Amino acid sequence: MKKIAKKHLISILCLSLFVVISSTCALLVFFNKSKANNADTTKAFEPIERDTKISVDGNGNLQITRNRVKDTCTLEDDSWTILIYMVGCDVQFKGHVSSDLNDILGCNVNANNIDKFNVVLQTGGNDGWYNNYGFLGKNNIQRNVLTSDHKWKTVEDLGEGNMGDAHTLANFIQWGLKTYPAEHTMLIMDNHGGNAFGGACYDPYYKDDCISIDEFEYALASSKEYMTDTFDLINMAVCSAGSLEYANALAPYTDYYMASADYQYCCGFDWEYSLNKLINQPDIDIEEFAKYWVDCNVEKVKSYNQNMGNTSNAVYDLTKLDDTLVELNSIFKQLYELASKDVKSAKTVHKAINKDVYTYRSKIQRDVRSMINVIKNQFNIDNTKANDALNKLVIYYQKGYYISKGSTILSIAYPYNNSAWGKGSLNIMRNLTFSPYYMNLLELNSHLLTNKTLDKYVKYDWAQSKFFYEDTFNFLNYKNY
C-alpha cells in the first residue's frame, strides 16, 4: 500500500476515534488502513502501460480505450482453473477461513474430473491454518491444490512473505495460469476489504500492508502475458469492493465481477454447492453461475441463523461498464459547473450529496443510483441514460434489510467531511476515478470543507492534465502517494 501524507494519516486516526463502527470488519478497515500506510515497500513498480486510457474530447465527452486481454486460448475441453488468494489475518482466528477451506474440500472432485478442475490456493498472513483434515500450514506463503481424495496438497512453500504486496499477487497469478492452463479461469480474493482507500488482503505480519485498487490493477496488468483470455469471473470475497473504482480497474481483465458494496457475509462464502455447479456443468454460462453463487451465499447465511443486515453481494457485467461511465461523466460535468459558480452553489451541492445520497457503512462509499437520483431531483440534471446503463451493468444482487431499497449495490467514493479527505486522498483519486469533472468536484469540496469558502480556490484543468489517470504505473512509486 502506498504511503500517504502524514497529515492525512492523522486525519484518518482522528476520524476513527469519533466514528462508532458497529462491525468488526469496518473497524479493521479504518484501523488497518492507517498501519498499512507505514508498511515497508522496497520493490519498485515497473512503469508498464496501463490497459485503460481515459480522456475527454473537446466537448467534455468521456473517451475510454480498453486494451482487453485477447482470446488466444486453444483449449476447448471445458477445463477450469480457480485461483484463490487467501490471507488468514484475524478472519482465520474466528474460523471463517477454515470454514471456507472445509467447504472447498467437500466438493465433488474425483479421479475422473480432477484433471480438468484445478482449485489452486495460496495462503499466507497467518500463523496457522486448520481444517477438518489436519494442519495446513504455517506463517509462510504456501501454494496448495485440491486433490481427488479431498485434501490440500502443498506444492510450493515460498517461506515468509507479504501477502499485502501486489508483486506477491502477480507472481501467484502468473504461476497459477502457467502451471494449470485451462479454458476457463477464475480469480478469488479472500480476506478483509476497505473502501477506495482501504485496499484488500491485509497481512498482519507486514504492518497490515494491503493491496490497493491500483496495485491490484498493476498485478493483473503485469500478468497479462500469461492470460490466454480474460478471467471468466473475478470475485472479491471482501467488504466494500463493489465500487466503480474497482470495476474500472478490473475491466480489461474480466467479463464478470462479484463483490459487495457493503459488508460481506460473516460466515464466509458458500463453496461446496457453487463449485459442484461448475463440476457438473463446466460449460455453464458464467452469468448464470455467478447469480447461482450469490443465491448459495444467501442460503449459507440462513443456514447459520444469521441475518443479512448490511451484507450484500452483486454481479457486474464489466463489458457494459463504459456506457455507465460515459453517462456519469456527463452528469458530473454539469454538476461541477453548477457547484463552481459560487460558494452558495458549492455548499448546496455538497449538502445534497452528503445528506441525501445513501451511504454504505464505510461512510466514504455512496450508492451510485442514489447519487444520480438526488442530482436529478434537486438539480434537474437528466439521469435517464445513466440509469439505463446501470441496469445493464449491475445484473444481479442480494442485499440485507438495512441497505436502502433504492440502492444498486454499486458505490462511488465521496467525502463526507474534511477529516475523510485531504491532499493525500485526492492524490490517490486522480488515478482511480474515471471522470476529470468528478475529480474537479472532489477538489472543490475539499477546498470548501477546509476553508469554508471558495476564496483562493483555483480550478485545475484535470480534463487536460497528464496527471489525471496516468498512462503508466510509475505513479505507484511516487513518494508519499
Side-chain angles (χ1 to χ4, degrees):
M1 187 72 178
K2 287 82 49 204
K3 299 179 182 178
I4 298 176
K6 183 177 180 181
K7 178 181 177 182
H8 181 50
L9 288 176
I10 294 172
S11 297
I12 294 175
L13 291 172
C14 291
L15 175 65
S16 65
L17 294 174
F18 290 98
V19 177
V20 177
I21 301 175
S22 60
S23 132
T24 302
C25 185
L27 179 60
L28 278 160
V29 167
F30 284 94
F31 177 66
N32 285 347
K33 182 174 67 173
S34 64
K35 293 195 291 183
N37 293 329
N38 291 321
D40 235 352
T41 52
T42 55
K43 191 170 182 179
F45 293 90
E46 295 295 327
I48 59 177
E49 289 286 319
R50 300 176 84 176
D51 290 309
T52 294
K53 308 294 184 184
I54 295 178
S55 62
V56 295
D57 64 17
N59 295 317
N61 299 313
L62 197 65
Q63 307 288 307
I64 306 173
T65 303
R66 307 278 190 191
N67 185 22
R68 285 172 56 83
V69 177
K70 302 296 190 297
D71 182 0
T72 59
C73 184
T74 58
L75 297 173
E76 296 181 358
D77 56 356
D78 292 328
S79 55
W80 276 91
T81 288
I82 301 171
L83 304 178
I84 306 174
Y85 194 80
M86 187 176 286
V87 187
C89 193
D90 70 308
V91 290
Q92 160 65 2
F93 294 114
K94 296 175 183 175
H96 302 167
V97 171
S98 291
S99 174
D100 288 347
L101 292 173
N102 290 330
D103 271 4
I104 296 171
L105 291 172
C107 72
N108 295 330
V109 291
N110 55 52
N112 295 322
N113 60 32
I114 194 67
D115 288 341
K116 293 186 178 181
F117 197 75
N118 308 300
V119 180
V120 187
L121 170 72
Q122 178 158 306
T123 57
N126 196 68
D127 63 355
W129 298 79
Y130 297 88
N131 54 68
N132 291 340
Y133 296 80
F135 185 72
L136 179 64
K138 304 175 182 178
N139 179 32
N140 289 349
I141 293 178
Q142 289 185 309
R143 290 170 175 169
N144 313 274
V145 294
L146 178 64
T147 65
S148 60
D149 56 349
H150 303 267
K151 294 180 180 179
W152 289 114
K153 177 183 177 182
T154 300
V155 293
E156 284 196 5
D157 190 323
L158 305 181
E160 294 186 0
N162 181 4
M163 291 284 281
D165 189 325
H167 299 94
T168 305
L169 172 61
N171 185 264
F172 171 59
I173 294 172
Q174 295 163 14
W175 171 84
L177 294 177
K178 181 179 179 180
T179 309
Y180 301 95
E183 181 181 2
H184 303 287
T185 56
M186 188 186 310
L187 174 63
I188 302 161
M189 306 288 285
D190 194 350
N191 181 246
H192 283 299
N195 50 46
F197 306 142
C201 296
Y202 296 84
D203 192 321
Y205 296 94
Y206 289 84
K207 301 180 181 179
D208 287 309
D209 192 17
C210 63
I211 300 172
S212 64
I213 297 175
D214 39 22
E215 289 175 345
F216 192 9
E217 180 191 354
Y218 173 86
L220 290 166
S222 60
S223 303
K224 193 175 177 183
E225 64 180 285
Y226 295 84
M227 301 172 67
T228 57
D229 199 355
T230 55
F231 283 101
D232 292 71
L233 177 67
I234 292 180
N235 183 353
M236 291 294 288
V238 304
C239 294
S240 302
S243 69
L244 285 174
E245 292 83 17
Y246 263 109
N248 187 47
L250 304 185
Y253 313 106
T254 185
D255 293 336
Y256 292 93
Y257 177 49
M258 276 181 68
S260 171
D262 215 307
Y263 296 148
Q264 281 286 11
Y265 310 112
C266 292
C267 58
F269 266 45
D270 168 83
W271 295 87
E272 184 176 351
Y273 290 102
S274 302
L275 293 181
N276 283 341
K277 188 78 168 179
L278 285 183
I279 293 172
N280 296 330
Q281 297 177 248
D283 60 345
I284 189 173
D285 177 78
I286 196 63
E287 179 178 329
E288 177 187 345
F289 168 73
K291 293 176 179 178
Y292 176 80
W293 200 355
V294 168
D295 289 340
C296 286
N297 293 335
V298 172
E299 291 303 313
K300 182 175 181 178
V301 172
K302 293 178 180 178
S303 72
Y304 276 66
N305 294 318
Q306 295 179 356
N307 62 60
M308 292 282 287
N310 285 96
T311 61
S312 66
N313 209 201
V315 182
Y316 313 93
D317 181 353
L318 296 192
T319 65
K320 305 296 194 299
L321 173 65
D322 291 354
D323 291 339
T324 300
L325 301 186
V326 167
E327 297 305 328
L328 291 177
N329 176 71
S330 176
I331 290 174
F332 294 143
K333 181 177 184 293
Q334 297 174 70
L335 189 65
Y336 173 67
E337 290 170 351
L338 173 63
S340 60
K341 285 182 177 179
D342 50 51
V343 67
K344 181 179 179 181
S345 299
K347 288 181 177 179
T348 301
V349 168
H350 176 64
K351 181 179 179 181
I353 295 178
N354 200 42
K355 299 294 184 183
D356 298 333
V357 174
Y358 178 74
T359 305
Y360 292 102
R361 300 286 287 183
S362 68
K363 300 294 185 183
I364 288 174
Q365 302 302 113
R366 308 303 174 100
D367 184 75
V368 176
R369 193 185 301 280
S370 176
M371 178 181 284
I372 63 175
N373 285 342
V374 166
I375 293 171
K376 168 65 169 63
N377 294 335
Q378 298 199 27
F379 307 110
N380 199 31
I381 297 176
D382 185 64
N383 65 5
T384 305
K385 291 183 178 179
N387 266 318
D388 289 344
L390 273 175
N391 290 336
K392 297 175 183 178
L393 169 62
V394 187
I395 56 178
Y396 191 69
Y397 59 79
Q398 293 271 16
K399 60 185 178 183
Y401 50 80
Y402 287 144
I403 297 177
S404 171
K405 290 183 179 180
S407 64
T408 192
I409 313 302
L410 180 66
S411 71
I412 185 170
Y414 185 86
Y416 57 98
N417 62 31
N418 192 42
S419 297
W421 289 79
K423 291 182 179 179
S425 302
L426 291 171
N427 198 23
I428 292 174
M429 285 300 294
R430 67 186 176 84
N431 276 299
L432 284 186
T433 191
F434 57 91
S435 169
Y437 305 109
Y438 191 67
M439 188 66 198
N440 280 128
L441 185 64
L442 297 181
E443 193 172 52
L444 176 75
N445 286 337
S446 177
H447 185 93
L448 177 66
L449 293 170
T450 302
N451 302 288
K452 311 302 181 186
T453 177
L454 293 186
D455 292 347
K456 298 183 180 181
Y457 169 71
V458 179
K459 175 185 175 181
Y460 183 73
D461 191 1
W462 286 108
Q464 301 301 320
S465 174
K466 66 179 182 179
F467 299 111
F468 176 77
Y469 215 87
E470 296 180 56
D471 289 339
T472 76
F473 287 99
N474 191 46
F475 66 89
L476 293 174
N477 295 308
Y478 292 171
K479 185 178 181 180
N480 290 327
Y481 171 71

